[in-house]
Amino acid sequence: MENLINQLKKSAPKVTLLMALAAGAALQACSGDSGKANAKDDAVSSDAASAVYVAPGEHDELYSFLSGGFNGQVSVYGIPSGRLLKIIPVFTQFAENGYGYNEESKAMLQTSHGFVPWDDLHHPKLSRADGMADGRWLFVNGNNTPRVARVDLKTFETVEIMEIPNSAGNHCSPYPTNNNEYVLAGTRFSVPLDMKGGTADVSMAEYKDKFRGSISFIKVDKEHGDMELDFQILVPGFDYDLANGGKGPSNDWVFFTTYNTEKSGTLKELGASQNDRDYLAAINWKLAAKYAAEGKAKEMPANYYHNKMDHNSHIAKSTVKKTVRYLLPEDCPGMMYLIPAPKSPHGIDVDPTGEYMVVNGKLASSLPVFSFSKMMKAIENKDFDGEVNGIPVFKYESILQAEVKEPGLGPLHTEFDGKGNAYSTMFVSSEVVKWSLKDFQVKDRMPVYYSPGHLMIPGGDTREPYGKYMVVMNKITKDRFLPTGPELMHSAQLIDISGEKMKMLLDFPTVAEPHYAQAIRADLVAPNSVKFFKLDENTHPDAVKNEKDVSVTRKGRTVKINMTSIRSHFTPDNIEGVQVGDTVLFHVTNLEQDWDVPHGFAIMGANNAETLIMPGATQTLRWVPKQTGIFPFYCTDFCSALHQEMQGYVRVSPRGSSVPISFSTGAKKPVPPTTAAVSK
Ligand code: K7E
Ligand code: CUA
């Protein structure tokens, strides 16, 4: 390993940047003094341990929400301890609690393509009030089957998922404006639209003419957070990569990086790297909303799912939407502009003052910083350099404020500390580089292990960052942890940024691949956390609020078992009269009214998972027995000293059997009495 790195270090000046990028993993230790791939950080200071130490029983200062990437989930970590607090399933079935397996939540994962129980989740973004995270909701994107979801931070549960039509790769998403007026979602892959919400059946030879991108404007209900797709802008057929909203003077604007402005339909690693400059797209979202409201939007047929979890019944319902409104930039003067930006940019980040737009050109040798006030002046003076599809293009030089020279190799993302500094990740040279927004000079660099993608400063994309910590999320782990076979957990690193020099504090493994993350002060979320659901407010049609009201009923081939759980028994716990091939629905209500007392429910041979029922809620496990016999069911969550006793039995008889439906707890005689225990 070391030899390879040394070899690459020697040859590094000769390799082109493109090759260096491709070899990024091997070059990871080429910068700074970190020649030894397995070196312990020299930079770890002796007080690092106390800086991250949260004593047993104490709470962390911050919640952080890390995307799970290809696991389709969000994981919640405490900062500074790096303790994993929760995994929130969003786009992915989660066997641990039955999300996406139980009958109530299945509808959350419905799409126009059918049931899609997985996605690739990249960007958690907290809802905002006046440009600051308000701790109410977390919006996240599904990259693969384009979706945007909302997590309620009272319950840490996914409560809404909306599919995005006319999109194929919802990557630059979801970006809330400063008061959640809109959540914006852009497509990564351009596709030909069939003008019914899907993609058209055309030849790839028609890429340049027929392919389009889209940017979706999702309206957010001020009080409840419910989303609604207001309209889309159909944009030129580039790839749209990342976005970031303005603030302060640039409040009304949002910026999107683009690549493949060459519109290459194949071998994009070369085809999309021809132009020296791609674009940063600037969109005035307020003006777009005005155009849409004033009748500039046309309507086209669409077909997309909108799934919501009902607050009281905890049942998700899908609605299929059949139209979408759209704007064309060429019809809407002043709404959209293009700023040339060096070579296949990735991240775009707007500084806390709203004046600077930092573009991270992953193939570029410098970091360009654009000026919002210069952009406004250029608009006023009509200082343009041609147009694309009717969209004016600025001159690079007239919008540029400065270039940060030789920041490192492969810049991907930047965040801000609110004290005039920016921090950028360098994927290829495996480091974080601190530079100043005053003189645009590099001030400090720190090797990270290895190949960082996003970095996150709590509140780093808001008006007032919480400039104490930084979390860097690395793509490659290698020797940082004990080996665990061919795959290691991804790693995050916590860095102290309170002083002039960065200080490495902590490594911690993450669940799947974190791309972006956000964090918020714990006191903005913790006090609102729901402790249990009120049984009186449970409106589930099969809820049973009192043990004496339990029932087992047959209707044709379906048997409904409306039952309860409480420490430490199920009612009923003996059920007979079920036949092979029946659809059995266990509607289990957890009668507990206390914090942190879920009961689980699982039955032998079920083809789904357990379901974990929160106090006061009702959930349904569907089971189709395929064999005769006695089937035990039990509580899966060790809920009391008598948890192991929390179990029961279902008797399954052959199809057409005369065993009647009966149920009981052992205390009562079965009603009506059963036939012999063994049926032949
Ligand atoms: Cu850079 Cu999907 Cu935000 Cu990953 S993205 S790193
Ligand atoms: Cu209920 Cu264990």
Side-chain angles (χ1 to χ4, degrees), residues 32 35 124 205 208 246 255 297 310 330 352 386 388 415 439 500 536 545 615:
K208 283 198 164 63
F255 304 90
D310 179 76
E330 48 269 46
V388 174
E415 288 233 323
D439 58 13
E500 227 161 89
D536 317 345
K545 299 188 181 177

Side-chain angles (χ1 to χ4, degrees), residues 75-340:
S75 34
V76 187
Y77 286 83
I79 298 291
S81 72
R83 297 194 286 212
L84 176 63
L85 304 178
K86 191 173 182 76
I87 294 174
I88 306 171
V90 180
F91 300 112
T92 297
Q93 282 176 304
F94 195 44
E96 184 179 312
N97 67 5
Y99 176 83
Y101 288 102
N102 62 42
E103 296 309 296
E104 284 73 14
S105 59
K106 275 181 183 167
M108 291 301 280
L109 304 178
Q110 283 299 335
T111 75
S112 64
H113 306 272
F115 184 68
V116 181
W118 171 86
D119 216 308
D120 184 15
L121 188 160
H122 283 214
H123 302 123
K125 291 287 268 188
L126 290 156
S127 57
R128 296 160 88 101
D130 193 22
M132 300 296 290
D134 64 6
R136 295 206 285 168
W137 309 300
L138 185 75
F139 298 98
V140 294
N141 68 324
N143 211 346
N144 181 57
T145 304
R147 287 176 275 184
V148 169
R150 182 169 58 91
V151 171
D152 190 333
L153 294 182
K154 283 197 185 106
T155 55
F156 286 63
E157 287 175 354
T158 305
V159 292
E160 190 173 9
I161 297 184
M162 187 162 73
E163 198 182 355
I164 310 290
N166 298 326
S167 175
N170 175 45
H171 190 258
C172 36
S173 164
Y175 291 88
T177 55
N178 288 316
N179 288 293
N180 309 325
E181 292 94 341
Y182 284 102
V183 166
L184 300 178
T187 187
R188 171 160 157 221
F189 310 117
S190 280
V191 283
L193 305 182
D194 67 359
M195 302 307 274
K196 290 181 216 142
T199 63
D201 172 21
V202 304
S203 158
M204 286 301 297
E206 297 181 87
Y207 192 102
K208 283 198 164 63
D209 304 325
K210 297 247 166 95
F211 285 46
R212 273 275 189 183
S214 68
I215 289 166
S216 300
F217 283 59
I218 301 165
K219 234 186 190 147
V220 178
D221 181 82
K222 285 227 167 327
E223 212 179 314
H224 303 288
D226 302 65
M227 302 186 287
E228 182 203 338
L229 179 54
D230 191 10
F231 64 93
Q232 300 185 307
I233 303 178
L234 300 186
V235 286
F238 313 145
D239 285 41
Y240 293 78
D241 207 9
L242 280 154
N244 208 272
K247 38 195 94 89
S250 55
N251 175 72
D252 300 354
W253 293 79
V254 63
F255 304 90
F256 292 83
T257 50
T258 71
Y259 62 102
N260 195 26
T261 52
E262 297 87 346
K263 299 193 188 176
S264 162
T266 179
L267 276 180
K268 292 198 184 187
E269 63 174 322
L270 288 176
S273 306
Q274 299 304 306
N275 291 351
D276 274 339
R277 292 200 176 132
D278 293 287
Y279 299 114
L280 177 66
I283 293 179
N284 185 325
W285 64 262
K286 235 182 213 170
L287 188 58
K290 189 159 172 264
Y291 277 129
E294 286 173 355
K296 274 270 161 113
K298 299 181 186 107
E299 197 172 273
M300 72 164 112
N303 184 32
Y304 65 97
Y305 273 65
H306 185 186
N307 312 320
K308 273 196 223 180
M309 182 64 79
D310 179 76
H311 188 67
N312 293 340
S313 65
H314 298 277
I315 298 175
K317 281 212 176 68
S318 300
T319 318
V320 184
K321 301 286 172 75
K322 289 295 185 187
T323 58
V324 65
R325 301 193 304 151
Y326 67 97
L327 292 173
L328 295 172
E330 48 269 46
D331 300 341
C332 302
M335 178 178 75
M336 183 170 177
Y337 298 89
L338 298 171
I339 304 171

Side-chain angles (χ1 to χ4, degrees), residues 35-47:
K36 273 183 283 165
N38 58 356
K40 282 217 186 119
D41 301 347
D42 299 334
V44 176
S45 62
S46 52
D47 54 358

Side-chain angles (χ1 to χ4, degrees), residues 16 44 59 63 95 165 183 215 237 268 345 351 380 423 425 447 499 519 547 555 583 621 641 644:
T16 68
V44 176
H59 290 172
Y63 284 100
V183 166
I215 289 166
K268 292 198 184 187
D351 88 306
E380 208 183 292
Y423 299 76
T425 45
E547 286 184 359
K555 204 172 186 191
T583 295
L621 193 81
Q644 289 296 80

Side-chain angles (χ1 to χ4, degrees), residues 565-570 592 598-600 635-640 642-644 646:
S565 62
I566 194 163
R567 280 163 288 180
S568 297
H569 59 275
F570 291 106
E592 306 280 356
H599 292 289
C635 170
T636 49
D637 188 333
F638 211 115
C639 50
S640 71
L642 294 173
H643 154 82
Q644 289 296 80
M646 198 163 170

